Structure formats: C-alpha cells, structure tokens
Amino acid sequence: MKIVVEKLEVWYDSTPALRSASFEISEGEMVFVIGPNGSGKSTLLKTIASIVRPKAGAVYLDGKVLSRLSPRDLGKLIAYIDPHLSRSIPTTVLDFLLTARYPHQSALSFSTPRQDLDIVEDVSKWLNISHLLDRRLDQLSSGELQRVLLARAFVQRPKVLLLDEPSAFLDLKYRLEVLDYVKKSVKASKIACLAAVHDLYLASLYADKVIVLNNGEIIAAGRGEDVLREDLIERVYRVKVSLLSINGRRVAIPLEPIKEAHYGGLT
Amino acid sequence: MASSLYERRLKHFLISLTSLIVLTIFAFTLSLSVGSSMLDPVKIFQATFLKPLGYTVEGSVEIIASLRLSRALAALFCGASLALAGLLMQTITRNPLADPYIFGLSSTALAAVALGILLVPNLVVHKIWLIAISFFGAMSGYALTLTLSKLSGGSSIAMVLAGIAVASLFGGISHVLLYLVQQITRTPYVHLLLGSASTVLWGDLQFLVFPTIFLLALILALFKPLNVYLYGDEYAKQLGFNPTSTRNVASLMAALLTAITIAFIGIVGFIGLVAPHIARFLIGSDHRFSAPITALVGALVTLIADVLVKLISMLARGIGELPLGVVTSIIGAPFLAYLLVKRMKG
C-alpha cells in the first residue's frame, strides 16, 4: 500500500504539533522518522493511524482519503504500535495477540478461527515469544513486552505499519533481529512502514528513506546517506556527532551535547 | 503452541462451566430444602429437576419447595446480575477494584428507591417502576463517582476513594429514608439496606430473570469491543472499535444490572468484586469465557450466602433473619483486603 501525506497540519489545542508535512511512502518501503523529543514524531504516526485528527491536509492510502475509510477498514489496514498499553486488568499474551485478528473477522463471529491461531503461532515463532503466550501481559519484562507489541502488529497483517520506538527496551541482538524481521515482512507483504526512532544507527542500517522532524516541521527527507549529515544532526539534536563509514553506510555517533549560550549559567 | 494453548483454555472453560453448574444445582436444591421445616434434599431435587422425567414426590414437599422457589431464584439471579455488573465495571474503568457497591452505584440506587417509595408508596407493588427509579439512581451514582474521581486525578485509587465517598454519603441518606420507609413496607429496614431475598414475589421474578439473561447474552455479543477496550482507548480505536460507545453501552448495562438487584433484594456487597476475580483466575479475561463463569460464580456465592442466612436464623430462633449483605460482606471483605495487599505490593 502506498501512503501519500499532503500538507498535514495538527494542532493540540492552540499549539501546533505538525506543520505542513508532506511526503510519500511506497509499497515495501521502510521510512524512519527521526527528531528530538517533542518534535512531532508520535503525532505524525498517530495522525496516520487516525487516532489524532489533522487540522488541515490529508493522508491518502492508495489514493483514497484516510478520513473516508470506515473504522473497520482502518483496523484491517493499519497497525500502530502504541507503547502505552493499559495492563491493569490481567490478560495473557495470547488473549492480547488474538484481539489483533478482530478487524478481519466478521462482526458477529463468536469462535476463534483456526487460521488466526496459526497466524499467532507463526508470528510468535519469528519474534521468539512462543514461550510467552500463556504469560500475563502485566508480568512481562520491558523487552518481552516490546516484542509482544510488535507481534501484535504483525498478527494484524496490516498494509500500513506504524512503529513508535520499535527498538526501545530491546538488547542489541533483539534490536537487529526484530528490525530484520520487520524489514523482511515489509518487503514480502508490500507494507508501507513508518517508524519513529531515536537510534540514528538503526536509521542508517534499515531505512530506505529518512525524514527529519524538528518542531513539527520536516526539515529534511531523503535517502539516509543524504539526510544523515553532521551539520543537520547537530542543528536538530544539539549534540556534536561524528559520522563513521561502516560497510558503506554512514553511522552517526553522538559525542557530547552542544553547550547552549543562554543555558550557560551552569557551566 | 498457540492452538494447543487455546484448546487447553477451552477445556478449562468447559470444566469450570460444568462444575459450577453442578455446584449451583446442588446449592439451589439445598436452598429449597433449608427452612423452618427441613426437607430431604434428594426429594427436593426429584421434585424440581426430575419432574419432567416422571418423578413424583409427596404433595407437601412439592408445595413447600415451590414456596421457596421464588426466594432461591431471586438469590440466584441477583447474584448473577451483580457479578456481571461488577465485571462490566471492572472492564470499563480498567480497575480491578471496581464494583457497583464500592463505586457507590448501589447506595445511590437504594436512596432513589427509598425516596420513590416514600413519595409514592404504591410503587412497592409496581416492580418495573421501582427498577426504573433504581436505574436512575445507579446512573447518577456512577456519574457522580466518575466526576469526583476525574476531579481528583482519575487514578484507580482516586476512583475507589471517590466511590467510597459517594457510597457512604448515599448509604447514610438511604439509612434515613429507609428508616421512614419501614412504616410503609412493614419490613425491617435493615433488610432493604443490606439485602434480603426473602421478600421477592413470584410474579415479579420475570423482571429479574429475563433482563439478567438478556444482558448476559448482550455481554457475550459484545465480547470483541469489551476485550479490545481492556488495552486502552487508543488501542481499541486503531482496531476499528469505538471506545466511547463501548464505555457508554457497558455503563448503562452495569447500571441496569445493579438497579435490578437493588430493586429486588437491596444492597448486597462484594459479589460484584469477588466473582469476576474468581472467574478470571479460572479461565482468564476473555469476556466470551469470563462472563458466563462470572455469572455462575456470583449466583453460587449468593445462593450459599442465602442458605447460610436461613441456617443462622434457624439456630437463633425468634430473632429473625440476618440480612444477606452482612453474610456476603463477611465472605467478601477479607478477599478485598487480600486484593488490596497484593496490588499495593505488586
């Protein structure tokens, strides 16, 4: 599925969170959004997920306006991984994963189709959470929960995948394994994937395209090699970085924060 | 792995369902045989459950059993409907400590009922109007508790504290009102305040039995929105469900279930809290499975409590019956304490 975002503008009460954002994601493409805290990454994802309503602009999925799609169709097409999940009523991982199949079932169906259980089984094997299926969701470690959240998105079999911090809480090996799996699935199932990350090296390793957000505005977009420039990162993140060239990819290594003149009182 | 787990869950569900049904039939028979004249439970069982198969027992047993039938059915269905109200409230507030009693719905419903009877004494014989008034009371109590808890931050502890505030205020008000009402109804007011199944009339039972069965069926039909709702509003939204309408519909259902029990047997605490927890412990939180089990657990516990009420009143001759709510509180309060301690620690 192809996503076209056109002059998207989102306001929270009277503060702008996203200003005139336009870009495209084609089928099987993995686009990473980077930017400091509060730059509008999550807002962008939530707007495409239809959780936040834009003030102006539009999102098109395969040429159809997002706001015209029924909630049911949205549930079939879009998976948004929300790290904030309510877990106060104890449920099991299997219960949770099965809810992701609901949009695909007919509204009045009562039993769980065999095929849905197979999908859960398949995805959990790939993300190495088979042993967690009967565990309680509120008793998982952060890393286990992160993999379960990702599994949920894939169990939904979406055409648009929106990931908010998919690498958070994962150790180095899982980071790479999980993103390998995401990348493979995105290519194989022709998903359009938009991921917000803080780890710039993950962006340079996996992104087909990188979008840089700052104060709600897209200030650069393009291939990782073109966007991940020293001056740009320093300007946006206010840290000194050094770019290393590893296996032909440029990887940004943060060195130290840039001392702000007007915060200078401390130093 | 996933399918074997799911099959195991189904098996657990069927085992729990059958054993609970057997236990409930057992308690039901016991409830019919316990009373001022003790009857043989075996004969009662034959008279009530095996009648279509051609069993006959002596006339007196059948007559006494049928006299006690309305009380036993009232305890059974009030227990089920209170338990379901508790389940719905725990789901919509995502708070495992929610319950119609703790959240103040019961007290406001009772205060409304008492006020209604006081103003229009005829209402006592029109159960359906009593239920309507009770429903109005329960809804206002729920709205009050939610508003109060939102003003104080909206955490689950704030919700419980707000509920306690509402419950004690309207508990007090209903005390006063019911004190006056006992002149009209000629029943001791503690029975209305703390529940009693002894005054339920056969003809009124339809307003209890059918709504409870209907609302249970409705919960089962809504199992997907309810299951999805557990994980948060945004989660529900992005799977294509509307969390606000889920919340509204489920609140109305919970208030209606509470209202019915208040109009029939008065305040019976803790069933709504305890039953969903036991059900979740047995078969997990999927509403498809937890709703019927919750209803059965509620029915069973209330029936047993009612049998205890009858037994105690027989031991202490002449004093009259203990209210049902007292017995369920004695069973339920330690459980609440256990939950609190476990929650605060974990």
Side-chain angles (χ1 to χ4, degrees):
Chain A
M1 182 156 270
K2 182 183 170 133
I3 309 177
V4 177
V5 173
E6 219 175 68
K7 293 190 180 131
L8 208 58
E9 192 150 332
V10 180
W11 289 60
Y12 290 130
D13 294 327
S14 55
T15 43
L18 213 56
R19 279 182 288 191
S20 191
S22 305
F23 59 91
E24 285 182 21
I25 306 174
S26 14
E27 274 182 4
E29 202 175 33
M30 219 168 151
V31 176
F32 278 48
V33 200
I34 60 170
N37 291 333
S39 58
K41 301 191 295 292
S42 297
T43 304
L44 179 62
L45 294 183
K46 282 185 184 177
T47 317
I48 300 177
S50 284
I51 292 169
V52 172
R53 279 185 178 283
K55 196 181 170 201
V59 179
Y60 300 91
L61 301 181
D62 274 350
K64 275 184 240 159
V65 188
L66 181 74
S67 53
R68 290 276 184 81
L69 290 172
S70 73
R72 230 186 125 64
D73 286 336
L74 288 176
K76 276 185 206 167
L77 292 175
I78 303 178
Y80 163 63
I81 298 194
D82 187 359
H84 308 288
L85 199 69
S86 171
R87 291 183 286 159
S88 47
I89 300 279
T91 67
T92 65
V93 173
L94 179 63
D95 282 335
F96 175 61
L97 293 180
L98 282 175
T99 60
R101 296 302 305 163
Y102 288 172
H104 297 279
Q105 295 166 5
S106 83
L108 289 172
S109 70
F110 196 71
S111 61
T112 302
R114 176 88 215 177
Q115 174 208 352
D116 289 2
L117 289 165
D118 291 342
I119 292 175
V120 168
E121 192 151 336
D122 186 51
V123 172
S124 18
K125 215 176 282 161
W126 277 105
L127 288 169
N128 195 16
I129 54 161
S130 299
H131 59 295
L132 300 176
L133 285 177
D134 61 343
R135 287 266 300 280
R136 268 171 57 176
L137 205 57
D138 54 328
Q139 289 174 345
L140 300 179
S141 76
S142 319
E144 289 167 337
L145 180 67
Q146 189 67 31
R147 278 180 287 145
V148 168
L149 289 174
L150 271 164
R152 192 280 293 177
F154 285 107
V155 167
Q156 203 179 331
R157 292 276 149 96
K159 288 291 162 199
V160 174
L161 182 61
L162 305 165
L163 306 169
D164 204 344
E165 283 299 319
S167 59
F169 306 114
L170 295 179
D171 63 28
L172 289 174
K173 181 163 174 274
Y174 272 130
R175 261 172 215 212
L176 301 178
E177 273 186 9
V178 158
L179 281 169
D180 273 339
Y181 177 69
V182 172
K183 183 137 194 173
K184 206 166 59 194
S185 312
V186 164
K187 297 276 176 258
S189 314
K190 298 200 162 69
I191 301 173
C193 173
L194 185 64
V197 289
H198 280 301
D199 287 317
L200 298 181
Y201 75 91
L202 288 176
S204 43
L205 280 180
Y206 291 99
D208 296 316
K209 212 157 82 182
V210 176
I211 293 173
V212 186
L213 267 179
N214 196 22
N215 285 328
E217 266 178 297
I218 295 181
I219 56 167
R223 296 191 314 150
E225 298 90 294
D226 306 330
V227 171
L228 296 168
R229 296 193 317 264
E230 233 160 300
D231 60 316
L232 191 78
I233 295 167
E234 288 183 0
R235 180 152 63 89
V236 170
Y237 281 95
R238 309 303 300 156
V239 285
K240 280 207 186 311
V241 292
S242 168
L243 286 182
L244 304 179
S245 189
I246 301 169
N247 292 341
R249 289 176 183 277
R250 272 204 263 173
V251 180
I253 309 290
L255 299 174
E256 57 173 346
I258 295 170
K259 292 175 184 103
E260 309 283 340
H262 48 282
Y263 294 136
L266 284 174
T267 52
Chain B
M1 180 73 181
S3 43
S4 69
L5 264 180
Y6 189 76
E7 269 151 31
R8 185 145 40 107
R9 165 83 64 80
L10 273 181
K11 215 164 80 190
H12 275 188
F13 172 67
L14 290 177
I15 292 171
S16 312
L17 193 71
T18 16
S19 29
L20 279 168
I21 289 176
V22 169
L23 283 172
T24 308
I25 291 176
F26 182 74
F28 193 77
T29 313
L30 206 62
S31 168
L32 292 182
S33 55
V34 170
S36 50
S37 67
M38 295 295 258
L39 302 174
D40 183 358
V42 179
K43 279 186 185 162
I44 291 281
F45 183 77
Q46 288 169 348
T48 42
F49 293 105
L50 301 180
K51 209 170 163 190
L53 299 177
Y55 275 88
T56 44
V57 285
E58 66 234 66
S60 64
V61 170
E62 209 176 323
I63 290 167
I64 296 174
S66 68
L67 284 175
R68 290 173 185 167
L69 200 58
S70 61
R71 173 173 185 160
L73 282 174
L76 184 94
F77 279 94
C78 281
S81 98
L82 263 180
L84 290 175
L87 177 70
L88 285 174
M89 296 198 58
Q90 291 180 9
T91 298
I92 51 187
T93 59
R94 299 188 191 101
N95 184 345
L97 295 176
D99 154 62
Y101 177 62
I102 293 172
F103 270 28
L105 273 76
S106 301
S107 311
T108 49
L110 188 65
V113 166
L115 190 66
I117 295 176
L118 208 57
L119 295 176
V120 190
N122 275 352
L123 276 177
V124 184
V125 290
H126 299 293
K127 210 59 160 194
I128 190 83
W129 283 107
L130 226 48
I131 293 173
I133 292 172
S134 171
F135 177 63
F136 172 75
M139 282 308 294
S140 346
Y142 182 59
L144 205 60
T145 301
L146 276 194
T147 317
L148 205 58
S149 73
K150 276 208 183 108
L151 288 177
S152 52
S155 71
S156 61
I157 296 300
M159 252 186 232
V160 172
L161 290 177
I164 288 171
V166 172
S168 9
L169 174 63
F170 283 89
I173 291 175
S174 42
H175 262 276
V176 176
L177 292 172
L178 287 171
Y179 184 73
L180 302 171
V181 160
Q182 58 181 337
Q183 284 183 319
I184 298 168
T185 60
R186 309 249 170 240
T187 46
Y189 88 100
V190 284
H191 280 184
L192 279 164
L193 191 64
L194 293 166
S196 165
S198 66
T199 55
V200 175
L201 301 173
W202 180 254
D204 289 338
L205 273 178
Q206 50 176 325
F207 301 121
L208 170 64
V209 174
F210 297 118
T212 307
I213 293 173
F214 171 72
L215 287 166
L216 172 62
L218 198 55
I219 295 175
L220 290 176
L222 292 175
F223 84 94
K224 280 178 201 168
L226 288 171
N227 282 352
V228 165
Y229 183 89
L230 286 178
Y231 304 106
D233 279 10
E234 294 199 344
Y235 185 75
K237 251 189 224 170
Q238 63 124 341
L239 285 182
F241 294 92
N242 184 338
T244 317
S245 54
T246 306
R247 189 159 42 233
N248 292 342
V249 170
S251 315
L252 282 177
M253 288 163 69
L256 192 55
L257 286 162
T258 312
I260 295 168
T261 56
I262 297 296
F264 269 89
I265 62 169
I267 290 187
V268 176
F270 294 107
I271 300 286
L273 175 77
V274 176
H277 279 277
I278 296 176
R280 249 183 246 125
F281 173 77
L282 289 174
I283 40 89
S285 323
D286 187 336
H287 288 79
R288 238 181 322 179
F289 305 128
S290 66
I293 299 293
T294 302
L296 275 171
V297 170
L300 181 64
V301 174
T302 315
L303 260 179
I304 292 173
D306 191 49
V307 172
L308 285 176
V309 165
K310 288 205 256 184
L311 282 174
I312 294 168
S313 79
M314 282 163 56
L315 291 175
R317 266 162 229 269
I319 307 178
E321 288 191 350
L322 270 177
L324 186 58
V326 170
V327 178
T328 56
S329 298
I330 290 173
I331 304 173
F335 188 78
L336 174 64
Y338 163 77
L339 276 182
L340 274 171
V341 169
K342 218 181 127 194
R343 227 180 117 66
M344 291 304 169
K345 270 185 174 171

